[in-house]
Amino acid sequence: MITELLLLMLSAVLIENFVLSRFLGCCPFLGVSEKPAAAVGMGCAVTFVMTVSSAIIYLIYTYILVPFDLIYLKTIAFILVIAALVQFIELFLKKFIPVLYNEFGIFLPLITTNCAVLGAVLLNIEKGYDFIYSVSFGFSAAIGFTLAIILFAGIRERLEFADPPKAFRGIPLALVAAGLIAMAFTGFHGISFS
Amino acid sequence: MMIKQLKEGVLDNNPLLIQLLGICPALAMTTNVSNALGIGIATMVVLLLSNLFISLLRKLIPNEIRIAAYIVIIAGFVSAVEMLIKAYLPELGRSLGIFLPLIVVNCIILGRAETFASKNKVLPSLMDGFAMGFGFTFALIVVASIREIIGAGTWFGVNVLGESYQSVLFFIMPSGAFITLGCLVALMKKLTSFPKKVPKNSIESLESESVTAEKVEEPVEIPAEEEVIVEEIKEEVEVAEKNDN
Protein backbone atom coordinates (compact mmCIF):
# COMPACT_ATOMS: atom_id res chain seq x y z
CA MET A 1 0.00 0.00 0.00
CA ILE A 2 2.67 2.46 1.09
CA THR A 3 5.05 1.38 -1.68
CA GLU A 4 2.28 1.67 -4.23
CA LEU A 5 1.48 5.15 -3.00
CA LEU A 6 5.12 6.20 -3.15
CA LEU A 7 5.49 4.82 -6.65
CA LEU A 8 2.35 6.68 -7.74
CA MET A 9 3.80 9.91 -6.35
CA LEU A 10 7.20 9.36 -7.92
CA SER A 11 5.66 8.69 -11.29
CA ALA A 12 3.45 11.80 -11.02
CA VAL A 13 6.49 13.96 -10.24
CA LEU A 14 9.02 12.60 -12.71
CA ILE A 15 7.70 10.16 -15.29
CA GLU A 16 4.33 11.65 -16.10
CA ASN A 17 5.28 15.21 -15.24
CA PHE A 18 2.23 17.44 -15.51
CA VAL A 19 3.82 20.12 -17.65
CA LEU A 20 6.46 18.27 -19.61
CA SER A 21 4.63 15.06 -20.38
CA ARG A 22 0.91 15.73 -19.96
CA PHE A 23 0.97 19.39 -21.06
CA LEU A 24 -1.20 20.63 -18.21
CA GLY A 25 -0.50 24.09 -16.82
CA CYS A 26 1.50 25.39 -19.76
CA CYS A 27 0.16 28.95 -19.48
CA PRO A 28 1.70 29.72 -16.05
CA PHE A 29 4.69 27.57 -17.02
CA LEU A 30 5.48 30.01 -19.84
CA GLY A 31 3.97 33.13 -18.28
CA VAL A 32 5.36 33.14 -14.73
CA SER A 33 8.81 31.70 -15.27
CA GLU A 34 10.93 34.71 -16.09
CA LYS A 35 12.28 35.02 -12.55
CA PRO A 36 13.03 32.08 -10.23
CA ALA A 37 11.47 33.84 -7.22
CA ALA A 38 8.15 34.24 -9.03
CA ALA A 39 8.34 30.63 -10.18
CA VAL A 40 8.78 29.43 -6.59
CA GLY A 41 5.77 31.54 -5.50
CA MET A 42 3.61 30.18 -8.30
CA GLY A 43 4.73 26.63 -7.55
CA CYS A 44 3.85 26.95 -3.86
CA ALA A 45 0.45 28.48 -4.64
CA VAL A 46 -0.36 25.72 -7.14
CA THR A 47 0.76 23.01 -4.70
CA PHE A 48 -1.46 24.43 -1.99
CA VAL A 49 -4.55 24.83 -4.19
CA MET A 50 -4.13 21.51 -5.96
CA THR A 51 -3.78 19.48 -2.75
CA VAL A 52 -6.75 21.14 -1.08
CA SER A 53 -8.94 21.01 -4.17
CA SER A 54 -8.15 17.32 -4.77
CA ALA A 55 -9.39 16.56 -1.25
CA ILE A 56 -12.51 18.74 -1.38
CA ILE A 57 -13.52 17.69 -4.88
CA TYR A 58 -13.15 14.02 -3.98
CA LEU A 59 -15.60 14.56 -1.10
CA ILE A 60 -18.03 16.59 -3.21
CA TYR A 61 -17.96 14.07 -6.05
CA THR A 62 -18.37 11.00 -3.85
CA TYR A 63 -20.91 12.34 -1.37
CA ILE A 64 -22.94 14.85 -3.43
CA LEU A 65 -22.65 14.29 -7.18
CA VAL A 66 -22.73 10.48 -7.24
CA PRO A 67 -25.60 9.87 -4.74
CA PHE A 68 -27.82 12.47 -6.40
CA ASP A 69 -26.96 11.23 -9.89
CA LEU A 70 -25.53 14.56 -10.97
CA ILE A 71 -22.32 13.31 -12.59
CA TYR A 72 -23.13 15.16 -15.80
CA LEU A 73 -22.67 18.42 -13.89
CA LYS A 74 -19.12 17.55 -12.88
CA THR A 75 -17.29 20.04 -15.13
CA ILE A 76 -19.43 22.96 -13.93
CA ALA A 77 -19.27 21.82 -10.31
CA PHE A 78 -15.50 21.35 -10.33
CA ILE A 79 -14.66 24.68 -11.92
CA LEU A 80 -16.99 26.49 -9.51
CA VAL A 81 -15.49 24.69 -6.52
CA ILE A 82 -11.97 25.56 -7.67
CA ALA A 83 -12.90 29.22 -8.26
CA ALA A 84 -14.58 29.49 -4.87
CA LEU A 85 -11.72 27.68 -3.16
CA VAL A 86 -9.11 29.97 -4.69
CA GLN A 87 -11.12 33.00 -3.58
CA PHE A 88 -11.50 31.53 -0.09
CA ILE A 89 -7.81 30.69 0.22
CA GLU A 90 -6.93 34.20 -0.89
CA LEU A 91 -9.17 35.78 1.76
CA PHE A 92 -8.02 33.32 4.43
CA LEU A 93 -4.34 34.00 3.79
CA LYS A 94 -4.90 37.75 3.65
CA LYS A 95 -6.59 37.68 7.06
CA PHE A 96 -4.61 35.05 8.98
CA ILE A 97 -1.24 34.45 7.32
CA PRO A 98 -0.33 37.77 5.67
CA VAL A 99 3.29 36.67 5.20
CA LEU A 100 2.21 33.86 2.90
CA TYR A 101 -0.32 36.15 1.21
CA ASN A 102 2.41 38.59 0.33
CA GLU A 103 4.55 35.74 -0.94
CA PHE A 104 2.14 34.21 -3.42
CA GLY A 105 -1.08 36.20 -3.17
CA ILE A 106 -0.79 37.70 -6.63
CA PHE A 107 -0.57 34.27 -8.23
CA LEU A 108 -3.75 32.95 -6.64
CA PRO A 109 -6.30 34.53 -9.02
CA LEU A 110 -4.37 33.11 -11.96
CA ILE A 111 -4.81 29.58 -10.66
CA THR A 112 -8.56 29.45 -11.32
CA THR A 113 -7.92 29.15 -15.04
CA ASN A 114 -4.84 26.96 -14.61
CA CYS A 115 -5.67 23.74 -16.38
CA ALA A 116 -3.34 21.77 -14.10
CA VAL A 117 -5.76 22.07 -11.16
CA LEU A 118 -8.87 21.05 -13.10
CA GLY A 119 -6.81 18.44 -14.94
CA ALA A 120 -5.63 16.86 -11.69
CA VAL A 121 -9.13 16.52 -10.24
CA LEU A 122 -10.51 15.17 -13.53
CA LEU A 123 -7.71 12.59 -13.66
CA ASN A 124 -8.47 11.60 -10.06
CA ILE A 125 -12.09 10.91 -10.98
CA GLU A 126 -11.18 9.20 -14.25
CA LYS A 127 -8.77 6.82 -12.55
CA GLY A 128 -11.12 6.16 -9.64
CA TYR A 129 -8.62 7.00 -6.91
CA ASP A 130 -9.80 6.90 -3.30
CA PHE A 131 -9.35 9.82 -0.89
CA ILE A 132 -5.72 9.19 0.11
CA TYR A 133 -4.67 8.44 -3.46
CA SER A 134 -6.46 11.55 -4.75
CA VAL A 135 -4.76 13.83 -2.26
CA SER A 136 -1.33 12.27 -2.84
CA PHE A 137 -1.78 12.43 -6.59
CA GLY A 138 -2.82 16.10 -6.45
CA PHE A 139 0.09 16.93 -4.15
CA SER A 140 2.75 15.07 -6.12
CA ALA A 141 1.50 16.32 -9.49
CA ALA A 142 1.80 19.84 -8.09
CA ILE A 143 5.32 19.08 -6.86
CA GLY A 144 6.13 17.95 -10.40
CA PHE A 145 4.75 21.23 -11.73
CA THR A 146 6.80 23.20 -9.20
CA LEU A 147 9.96 21.27 -10.07
CA ALA A 148 9.45 21.89 -13.78
CA ILE A 149 8.68 25.61 -13.43
CA ILE A 150 11.67 26.24 -11.12
CA LEU A 151 14.07 24.39 -13.45
CA PHE A 152 12.63 26.29 -16.38
CA ALA A 153 12.90 29.66 -14.63
CA GLY A 154 16.58 28.97 -13.94
CA ILE A 155 17.17 28.25 -17.61
CA ARG A 156 15.18 31.26 -18.80
CA GLU A 157 17.23 33.53 -16.58
CA ARG A 158 20.30 32.43 -18.51
CA LEU A 159 18.51 32.74 -21.84
CA GLU A 160 18.26 36.48 -21.17
CA PHE A 161 21.92 36.73 -22.09
CA ALA A 162 21.65 34.55 -25.18
CA ASP A 163 21.71 36.09 -28.63
CA PRO A 164 19.20 34.17 -30.76
CA PRO A 165 17.82 35.25 -34.15
CA LYS A 166 15.37 38.11 -33.77
CA ALA A 167 12.28 36.01 -34.46
CA PHE A 168 13.20 33.53 -31.72
CA ARG A 169 13.50 36.08 -28.92
CA GLY A 170 11.13 35.58 -26.00
CA ILE A 171 8.49 32.87 -26.13
CA PRO A 172 9.75 30.85 -29.15
CA LEU A 173 13.15 30.34 -27.55
CA ALA A 174 11.44 29.51 -24.24
CA LEU A 175 9.33 26.87 -26.01
CA VAL A 176 12.42 25.32 -27.56
CA ALA A 177 14.13 25.29 -24.14
CA ALA A 178 11.03 23.65 -22.65
CA GLY A 179 11.28 21.04 -25.38
CA LEU A 180 14.83 20.28 -24.35
CA ILE A 181 13.81 19.89 -20.69
CA ALA A 182 10.97 17.62 -21.79
CA MET A 183 13.51 15.56 -23.70
CA ALA A 184 15.59 15.23 -20.55
CA PHE A 185 12.50 14.15 -18.62
CA THR A 186 11.67 11.43 -21.15
CA GLY A 187 14.79 9.77 -19.75
CA PHE A 188 12.70 8.93 -16.67
CA HIS A 189 10.45 6.75 -18.81
CA GLY A 190 13.17 4.14 -18.59
CA ILE A 191 12.54 3.64 -14.86
CA SER A 192 10.68 0.40 -14.32
CA PHE A 193 9.02 -0.48 -11.04
CA SER A 194 8.53 -4.19 -11.48
CA MET B 1 -16.15 42.94 -42.52
CA MET B 2 -16.45 39.17 -42.37
CA ILE B 3 -13.29 38.61 -44.41
CA LYS B 4 -11.37 41.17 -42.40
CA GLN B 5 -12.31 39.46 -39.13
CA LEU B 6 -11.44 36.07 -40.57
CA LYS B 7 -8.05 37.32 -41.71
CA GLU B 8 -7.45 38.74 -38.25
CA GLY B 9 -8.36 35.45 -36.59
CA VAL B 10 -6.24 33.32 -38.91
CA LEU B 11 -3.20 35.52 -39.53
CA ASP B 12 -2.78 38.92 -37.87
CA ASN B 13 -4.14 37.99 -34.47
CA ASN B 14 -4.03 34.21 -34.49
CA PRO B 15 -5.04 33.03 -30.98
CA LEU B 16 -2.37 30.34 -30.81
CA LEU B 17 0.57 31.58 -32.85
CA ILE B 18 0.39 35.31 -32.10
CA GLN B 19 -1.56 35.67 -28.85
CA LEU B 20 -0.10 32.42 -27.44
CA LEU B 21 -3.41 31.34 -25.88
CA GLY B 22 -4.54 27.75 -25.57
CA ILE B 23 -1.06 26.29 -25.60
CA CYS B 24 -1.97 23.21 -23.54
CA PRO B 25 -4.35 21.58 -26.07
CA ALA B 26 -2.08 22.76 -28.88
CA LEU B 27 0.76 20.71 -27.43
CA ALA B 28 -1.16 17.71 -26.18
CA MET B 29 -3.70 17.15 -28.95
CA THR B 30 -1.47 17.56 -32.01
CA THR B 31 0.12 14.13 -32.24
CA ASN B 32 -2.24 13.44 -35.14
CA VAL B 33 -4.41 15.60 -37.36
CA SER B 34 -7.76 13.99 -36.50
CA ASN B 35 -7.33 14.76 -32.77
CA ALA B 36 -6.34 18.32 -33.65
CA LEU B 37 -9.40 18.74 -35.85
CA GLY B 38 -11.62 17.28 -33.12
CA ILE B 39 -10.39 19.53 -30.32
CA GLY B 40 -10.31 22.53 -32.70
CA ILE B 41 -13.92 22.11 -33.78
CA ALA B 42 -15.09 21.40 -30.23
CA THR B 43 -13.35 24.61 -29.07
CA MET B 44 -14.86 26.53 -31.99
CA VAL B 45 -18.40 25.35 -31.20
CA VAL B 46 -18.01 26.31 -27.53
CA LEU B 47 -16.52 29.66 -28.53
CA LEU B 48 -19.40 30.40 -30.92
CA LEU B 49 -22.08 29.50 -28.37
CA SER B 50 -20.42 31.27 -25.44
CA ASN B 51 -19.79 34.41 -27.51
CA LEU B 52 -23.43 34.36 -28.65
CA PHE B 53 -24.87 34.00 -25.16
CA ILE B 54 -22.45 36.34 -23.42
CA SER B 55 -23.18 38.97 -26.04
CA LEU B 56 -26.92 38.47 -25.55
CA LEU B 57 -26.60 38.70 -21.77
CA ARG B 58 -24.00 41.46 -21.70
CA LYS B 59 -26.38 44.03 -20.24
CA LEU B 60 -27.80 41.66 -17.64
CA ILE B 61 -24.56 40.36 -16.12
CA PRO B 62 -23.36 42.60 -13.28
CA ASN B 63 -19.81 43.78 -13.73
CA GLU B 64 -18.51 42.48 -10.39
CA ILE B 65 -19.33 38.82 -10.96
CA ARG B 66 -18.90 38.75 -14.72
CA ILE B 67 -15.93 36.34 -14.76
CA ALA B 68 -17.81 33.80 -12.62
CA ALA B 69 -20.87 34.16 -14.85
CA TYR B 70 -18.79 33.65 -18.00
CA ILE B 71 -17.15 30.56 -16.54
CA VAL B 72 -20.54 29.02 -15.72
CA ILE B 73 -21.85 29.76 -19.24
CA ILE B 74 -18.71 28.30 -20.83
CA ALA B 75 -18.73 25.25 -18.55
CA GLY B 76 -22.35 24.58 -19.46
CA PHE B 77 -21.61 24.51 -23.17
CA VAL B 78 -18.46 22.48 -22.65
CA SER B 79 -20.48 19.85 -20.78
CA ALA B 80 -23.03 19.78 -23.59
CA VAL B 81 -20.37 19.39 -26.29
CA GLU B 82 -18.60 16.74 -24.23
CA MET B 83 -21.75 14.68 -23.83
CA LEU B 84 -22.60 15.01 -27.53
CA ILE B 85 -19.12 13.87 -28.59
CA LYS B 86 -19.17 10.97 -26.14
CA ALA B 87 -22.60 9.91 -27.42
CA TYR B 88 -22.04 10.18 -31.17
CA LEU B 89 -18.24 10.00 -31.60
CA PRO B 90 -17.14 7.79 -28.67
CA GLU B 91 -13.78 7.01 -30.25
CA LEU B 92 -12.88 10.69 -30.63
CA GLY B 93 -14.13 11.28 -27.07
CA ARG B 94 -11.73 8.64 -25.76
CA SER B 95 -8.73 9.97 -27.63
CA LEU B 96 -9.41 13.57 -26.53
CA GLY B 97 -9.71 12.36 -22.91
CA ILE B 98 -9.57 15.03 -20.22
CA PHE B 99 -8.73 17.73 -22.74
CA LEU B 100 -12.39 17.81 -23.72
CA PRO B 101 -13.65 19.05 -20.32
CA LEU B 102 -10.48 21.17 -20.06
CA ILE B 103 -11.84 23.43 -22.84
CA VAL B 104 -13.45 25.26 -19.89
CA VAL B 105 -10.09 26.66 -18.84
CA ASN B 106 -8.89 27.42 -22.38
CA CYS B 107 -7.85 31.06 -22.17
CA ILE B 108 -9.07 31.81 -25.71
CA ILE B 109 -12.73 31.40 -24.78
CA LEU B 110 -12.64 33.46 -21.59
CA GLY B 111 -10.37 35.96 -23.36
CA ARG B 112 -12.81 36.53 -26.26
CA ALA B 113 -15.73 36.72 -23.84
CA GLU B 114 -13.98 39.38 -21.80
CA THR B 115 -12.45 41.45 -24.61
CA PHE B 116 -15.02 41.09 -27.39
CA ALA B 117 -18.39 39.49 -26.68
CA SER B 118 -19.05 41.50 -23.52
CA LYS B 119 -18.71 44.77 -25.45
CA ASN B 120 -20.17 44.01 -28.88
CA LYS B 121 -23.50 43.19 -30.49
CA VAL B 122 -24.61 39.65 -31.23
CA LEU B 123 -23.69 39.33 -34.90
CA PRO B 124 -20.12 40.69 -34.66
CA SER B 125 -19.56 38.50 -31.58
CA LEU B 126 -20.69 35.42 -33.47
CA MET B 127 -18.38 36.29 -36.34
CA ASP B 128 -15.54 36.93 -33.94
CA GLY B 129 -16.13 33.53 -32.33
CA PHE B 130 -16.07 31.89 -35.75
CA ALA B 131 -12.93 33.75 -36.88
CA MET B 132 -11.00 33.04 -33.69
CA GLY B 133 -12.16 29.43 -33.53
CA PHE B 134 -11.24 28.94 -37.17
CA GLY B 135 -7.82 30.52 -36.61
CA PHE B 136 -7.20 28.25 -33.62
CA THR B 137 -8.30 25.13 -35.53
CA PHE B 138 -6.15 26.15 -38.48
CA ALA B 139 -3.08 26.61 -36.28
CA LEU B 140 -3.72 23.27 -34.55
CA ILE B 141 -3.95 21.51 -37.90
CA VAL B 142 -0.69 23.10 -39.08
CA VAL B 143 1.13 21.94 -35.92
CA ALA B 144 -0.46 18.49 -36.09
CA SER B 145 0.33 18.08 -39.80
CA ILE B 146 4.00 18.80 -39.21
CA ARG B 147 4.13 16.42 -36.27
CA GLU B 148 2.15 13.61 -37.85
CA ILE B 149 3.82 13.71 -41.27
CA ILE B 150 7.36 13.85 -39.96
CA GLY B 151 6.74 11.78 -36.84
CA ALA B 152 4.64 8.97 -38.32
CA GLY B 153 4.71 9.50 -42.09
CA THR B 154 0.91 9.74 -42.20
CA TRP B 155 -1.74 12.45 -42.57
CA PHE B 156 -5.23 11.80 -41.16
CA GLY B 157 -3.96 8.25 -40.69
CA VAL B 158 -3.24 7.85 -44.42
CA ASN B 159 0.31 6.98 -45.37
CA VAL B 160 1.74 9.88 -47.39
CA LEU B 161 5.49 9.39 -47.33
CA GLY B 162 5.60 5.81 -48.57
CA GLU B 163 6.31 2.56 -46.77
CA SER B 164 10.08 3.01 -46.74
CA TYR B 165 9.88 6.24 -44.71
CA GLN B 166 11.70 5.92 -41.39
CA SER B 167 9.49 7.92 -39.01
CA VAL B 168 11.15 10.42 -36.67
CA LEU B 169 9.60 9.51 -33.34
CA PHE B 170 10.94 12.71 -31.78
CA PHE B 171 8.10 14.76 -33.31
CA ILE B 172 5.44 12.60 -31.68
CA MET B 173 7.08 12.88 -28.25
CA PRO B 174 6.34 15.79 -25.87
CA SER B 175 9.66 17.50 -26.57
CA GLY B 176 8.87 17.53 -30.29
CA ALA B 177 5.60 19.32 -29.53
CA PHE B 178 7.36 22.14 -27.68
CA ILE B 179 10.02 22.59 -30.34
CA THR B 180 7.59 22.44 -33.30
CA LEU B 181 5.36 25.05 -31.69
CA GLY B 182 8.38 27.21 -30.81
CA CYS B 183 9.61 27.19 -34.40
CA LEU B 184 6.13 27.97 -35.74
CA VAL B 185 5.70 30.92 -33.36
CA ALA B 186 9.10 32.22 -34.46
CA LEU B 187 8.14 31.81 -38.12
CA MET B 188 4.87 33.65 -37.52
CA LYS B 189 6.75 36.44 -35.73
CA LYS B 190 9.12 36.71 -38.68
CA LEU B 191 6.26 36.80 -41.20
CA THR B 192 4.13 39.35 -39.38
CA SER B 193 6.93 41.81 -38.62
CA PHE B 194 7.65 42.89 -42.18
CA PRO B 195 8.69 46.54 -42.03
CA LYS B 196 6.42 47.51 -44.94
CA LYS B 197 3.34 46.19 -43.14
CA VAL B 198 3.79 47.90 -39.77
CA PRO B 199 6.15 50.79 -40.40
CA LYS B 200 5.75 52.61 -37.08
CA ASN B 201 5.31 50.18 -34.23
CA SER B 202 7.51 47.22 -35.01
CA ILE B 203 10.93 47.06 -33.44
CA GLU B 204 12.59 45.82 -36.59
CA SER B 205 11.58 48.84 -38.63
CA LEU B 206 12.86 51.16 -35.88
CA GLU B 207 16.17 49.36 -35.90
CA SER B 208 16.47 49.49 -39.67
CA GLU B 209 15.75 53.24 -39.51
CA SER B 210 18.56 53.76 -37.05
CA VAL B 211 20.87 51.76 -39.31
CA THR B 212 20.12 54.01 -42.27
CA ALA B 213 20.55 57.05 -40.06
CA GLU B 214 24.03 55.88 -39.14
CA LYS B 215 24.88 55.35 -42.76
CA VAL B 216 23.84 58.90 -43.57
CA GLU B 217 25.83 60.32 -40.72
CA GLU B 218 28.98 58.42 -41.51
CA PRO B 219 30.16 60.41 -44.54
CA VAL B 220 29.67 63.58 -42.54
CA GLU B 221 31.76 62.27 -39.66
CA ILE B 222 34.68 60.94 -41.68
CA PRO B 223 36.26 64.28 -42.67
CA ALA B 224 36.69 65.24 -39.03
CA GLU B 225 39.87 67.16 -39.79
CA GLU B 226 37.97 69.43 -42.13
CA GLU B 227 35.48 70.26 -39.37
CA VAL B 228 38.34 71.16 -37.07
CA ILE B 229 39.79 73.36 -39.76
CA VAL B 230 36.41 75.02 -40.32
CA GLU B 231 36.07 75.67 -36.59
CA GLU B 232 39.58 77.06 -36.41
CA ILE B 233 38.82 79.37 -39.27
CA LYS B 234 35.61 80.50 -37.53
CA GLU B 235 37.53 81.17 -34.34
CA GLU B 236 40.17 83.10 -36.23
CA VAL B 237 37.46 85.14 -37.88
CA GLU B 238 35.86 85.85 -34.49
CA VAL B 239 39.19 86.80 -32.98
CA ALA B 240 39.85 89.02 -35.97
CA GLU B 241 36.43 90.66 -35.58
CA LYS B 242 37.10 91.28 -31.86
CA ASN B 243 40.46 92.76 -32.70
CA ASP B 244 38.81 94.96 -35.28
CA ASN B 245 36.35 96.20 -32.68
Side-chain angles (χ1 to χ4, degrees), chain A residues 114-163:
Chain A
N114 180 345
C115 50
V117 181
L118 189 61
V121 297
L122 285 168
L123 280 172
N124 277 336
I125 301 298
E126 196 182 277
K127 296 193 171 176
Y129 288 151
D130 64 11
F131 185 74
I132 295 172
Y133 269 71
S134 294
V135 176
S136 343
F137 181 74
F139 175 73
S140 45
I143 293 292
F145 174 84
T146 312
L147 178 72
I149 198 172
I150 291 173
L151 283 175
F152 189 52
I155 291 174
R156 275 189 88 173
E157 208 178 30
R158 297 211 167 188
L159 287 183
E160 293 280 305
F161 304 108
D163 185 24

Side-chain angles (χ1 to χ4, degrees), chain B residues 38-48 103 106 108-109 133 136 140:
Chain B
I39 199 83
I41 289 179
T43 310
M44 188 159 97
V45 169
V46 174
L47 189 56
L48 270 174
I103 295 176
N106 190 326
I108 296 172
I109 298 172
F136 183 61
L140 283 183

Side-chain angles (χ1 to χ4, degrees), chain B residues 116-132:
Chain B
F116 200 92
S118 60
K119 296 182 188 106
N120 285 285
K121 286 184 178 159
V122 175
L123 207 59
S125 300
L126 260 179
M127 290 206 296
D128 178 75
F130 179 76
M132 286 294 155

Side-chain angles (χ1 to χ4, degrees), chain A:
Chain A
M1 166 79 188
I2 302 266
T3 13
E4 251 177 56
L5 201 63
L6 281 176
L7 290 181
L8 173 89
M9 291 172 75
L10 190 67
S11 112
V13 174
L14 294 178
I15 302 168
E16 300 226 290
N17 187 286
F18 249 46
V19 185
L20 300 170
S21 167
R22 286 188 196 270
F23 303 118
L24 294 166
C26 290
C27 291
F29 181 69
L30 290 168
V32 202
S33 58
E34 283 179 337
K35 294 197 181 83
V40 173
M42 187 70 192
C44 295
V46 166
T47 310
F48 198 59
V49 172
M50 235 154 109
T51 314
V52 179
S53 63
S54 291
I56 290 182
I57 284 178
Y58 175 80
L59 296 176
I60 286 180
Y61 185 77
T62 319
Y63 296 106
I64 297 178
L65 292 187
V66 173
F68 291 99
D69 209 8
L70 293 171
I71 299 173
Y72 62 91
L73 283 179
K74 69 173 193 291
T75 312
I76 303 178
F78 292 174
I79 191 76
L80 281 180
V81 169
I82 292 170
L85 191 70
V86 168
Q87 198 77 47
F88 174 76
I89 290 173
E90 198 183 343
L91 292 175
F92 179 84
L93 288 181
K94 203 174 183 179
K95 179 97 170 111
F96 294 105
I97 321 174
V99 184
L100 268 184
Y101 179 77
N102 291 333
E103 282 293 317
F104 56 75
I106 46 163
F107 303 115
L108 280 172
L110 293 175
I111 291 177
T112 311
T113 52
N114 180 345
C115 50
V117 181
L118 189 61
V121 297
L122 285 168
L123 280 172
N124 277 336
I125 301 298
E126 196 182 277
K127 296 193 171 176
Y129 288 151
D130 64 11
F131 185 74
I132 295 172
Y133 269 71
S134 294
V135 176
S136 343
F137 181 74
F139 175 73
S140 45
I143 293 292
F145 174 84
T146 312
L147 178 72
I149 198 172
I150 291 173
L151 283 175
F152 189 52
I155 291 174
R156 275 189 88 173
E157 208 178 30
R158 297 211 167 188
L159 287 183
E160 293 280 305
F161 304 108
D163 185 24
K166 221 173 274 170
F168 268 96
R169 269 175 214 164
I171 291 290
L173 191 65
L175 278 167
V176 173
L180 295 178
I181 306 177
M183 206 192 294
F185 266 70
T186 44
F188 290 116
H189 283 285
I191 300 175
S192 98
F193 291 133
S194 56

Side-chain angles (χ1 to χ4, degrees), chain B residues 91-161:
Chain B
E91 210 169 298
L92 182 68
R94 261 195 301 281
S95 64
L96 296 184
I98 62 161
F99 279 90
L100 203 46
L102 280 180
I103 295 176
V104 179
V105 284
N106 190 326
C107 326
I108 296 172
I109 298 172
L110 197 61
R112 291 328 284 178
E114 172 76 7
T115 57
F116 200 92
S118 60
K119 296 182 188 106
N120 285 285
K121 286 184 178 159
V122 175
L123 207 59
S125 300
L126 260 179
M127 290 206 296
D128 178 75
F130 179 76
M132 286 294 155
F134 187 77
F136 183 61
T137 313
F138 176 75
L140 283 183
I141 287 178
V142 171
V143 179
S145 301
I146 294 173
R147 289 185 69 192
E148 195 185 342
I149 290 175
I150 301 179
T154 57
W155 200 64
F156 272 108
V158 180
N159 199 320
V160 285
L161 288 181

